[in-house]
Amino acid sequence: MYKKKIIITRPKEQARHFVEQLCTEIADLNFCDFVFEPVLKIKALKFDMPDFKKYDGIIVTSQHALKFLDRSLIQNTPLYCVGQKCGDAKIRAATAHDLKNEIITDLLQKKARLLYLRGQDVSLDMAEALSRAGHHVDERIIYEAVGVDMLHNALVEQFQKGDIGAITFFSKRSAETFFDLAFAAAIIPLMNDIKILCISDLVVNYVHTVLNAHAYSANSPDGDGMIRLIETHCL
């Protein structure tokens, strides 16, 4: 039984789904106490609806973008997607970098016109990478992740009591936002003994610029990787 609390910093809907998956796969985690502290809010943006028939493929690297996409409008246009919740996508990959490589391989014999539906902030310049491979990429920014104004007072009190054992970060942006808020709440000195569980080495490297903590990276940059990370460090 893990006696301290684990903070989940994902947007609320994703956080609850992740914890449900955790407790399904790892029975011992049913005894854990999870704290939902979303530090980013997902805001849909208005954009001109393109003519999907003009494109040889549609690229989606975020589940948020996928949620805002009306799949009925795509029809027979191939979908290239990051994540497992892509339905009948032609190609699914674990990361944007992997997806970029697989798209280049898939379109090796043609110069394609592609549509990239994305958020305001991305970790990989997909359009530039595919343009260098000879493809034409149109982009539509259809959502943005907006940081919250402050951490909840109840969470700050739990840090002060020493109740927090681990924090999860699924992106560098969420880690940056969380630590900005933690500085404002004056709880950074209370975090050195807390386990920081990160989706990738990129996030771990950022964490180490902020504090000298026990930060760990998932073996794969996805939900399954984070589940294994929690299983390893929180049981």
Side-chain angles (χ1 to χ4, degrees), residues 43-67:
K43 177 183 177 183
L45 300 177
K46 292 183 179 180
F47 69 100
D48 295 330
M49 187 66 68
D51 180 1
F52 293 109
K53 294 190 296 292
K54 296 191 305 183
Y55 295 98
D56 299 301
I58 298 167
I59 304 167
V60 177
T61 56
S62 162
Q63 295 300 309
H64 301 302
L66 189 65
K67 181 174 65 174

Side-chain angles (χ1 to χ4, degrees), residues 31-231:
F31 298 99
C32 292
D33 192 354
F34 294 97
V35 179
F36 295 102
E37 187 71 18
V39 294
L40 299 174
K41 295 180 180 179
I42 305 303
K43 177 183 177 183
L45 300 177
K46 292 183 179 180
F47 69 100
D48 295 330
M49 187 66 68
D51 180 1
F52 293 109
K53 294 190 296 292
K54 296 191 305 183
Y55 295 98
D56 299 301
I58 298 167
I59 304 167
V60 177
T61 56
S62 162
Q63 295 300 309
H64 301 302
L66 189 65
K67 181 174 65 174
F68 296 132
L69 174 63
D70 186 345
R71 299 289 291 277
S72 66
L73 299 175
I74 297 178
Q75 297 181 346
N76 296 322
T77 307
L79 177 64
Y80 301 102
C81 183
V82 169
Q84 297 302 312
K85 299 180 182 179
C86 302
D88 55 352
K90 183 176 184 181
I91 291 178
R92 286 179 286 187
T95 70
H97 181 76
D98 291 340
L99 185 65
K100 177 259 298 181
N101 291 337
E102 294 199 36
I103 291 173
I104 291 173
T105 300
D106 184 58
L107 299 173
L108 200 57
Q109 302 303 320
K110 69 181 295 185
K111 302 303 179 186
R113 184 174 186 182
L114 303 167
L115 175 65
Y116 182 22
L117 302 176
R118 67 176 183 87
Q120 184 72 48
D121 302 297
V122 291
S123 59
L124 170 71
D125 192 335
M126 181 72 74
E128 180 184 2
L130 293 177
S131 295
R132 288 200 304 267
H135 304 294
H136 177 85
V137 182
D138 292 333
E139 295 182 289
R140 294 287 191 281
I141 299 175
I142 65 175
Y143 77 92
E144 64 177 336
V146 181
V148 301
D149 295 328
M150 61 184 296
L151 299 176
H152 287 98
N153 289 334
L155 181 69
V156 173
E157 291 174 2
Q158 289 175 84
F159 272 105
Q160 293 169 341
K161 294 177 181 177
D163 291 342
I164 303 299
I167 310 173
T168 60
F169 292 124
F170 286 77
S171 69
K172 182 182 176 185
R173 175 78 189 285
S174 61
E176 290 172 337
T177 303
F178 185 91
F179 283 115
D180 285 345
L181 300 174
F183 273 115
I187 59 174
I188 291 292
L190 307 177
M191 298 174 63
N192 287 328
D193 294 328
I194 291 173
K195 296 175 181 178
I196 313 296
L197 309 180
C198 305
I199 195 73
S200 67
D201 290 338
L202 178 69
V203 183
V204 169
N205 292 338
Y206 168 72
V207 169
H208 283 155
T209 68
V210 179
L211 77 164
N212 182 24
H214 303 288
Y216 307 95
S217 175
N219 289 330
S220 59
D222 52 27
D224 287 339
M226 289 295 283
I227 288 174
R228 302 285 80 80
L229 198 62
I230 292 174
E231 181 180 30

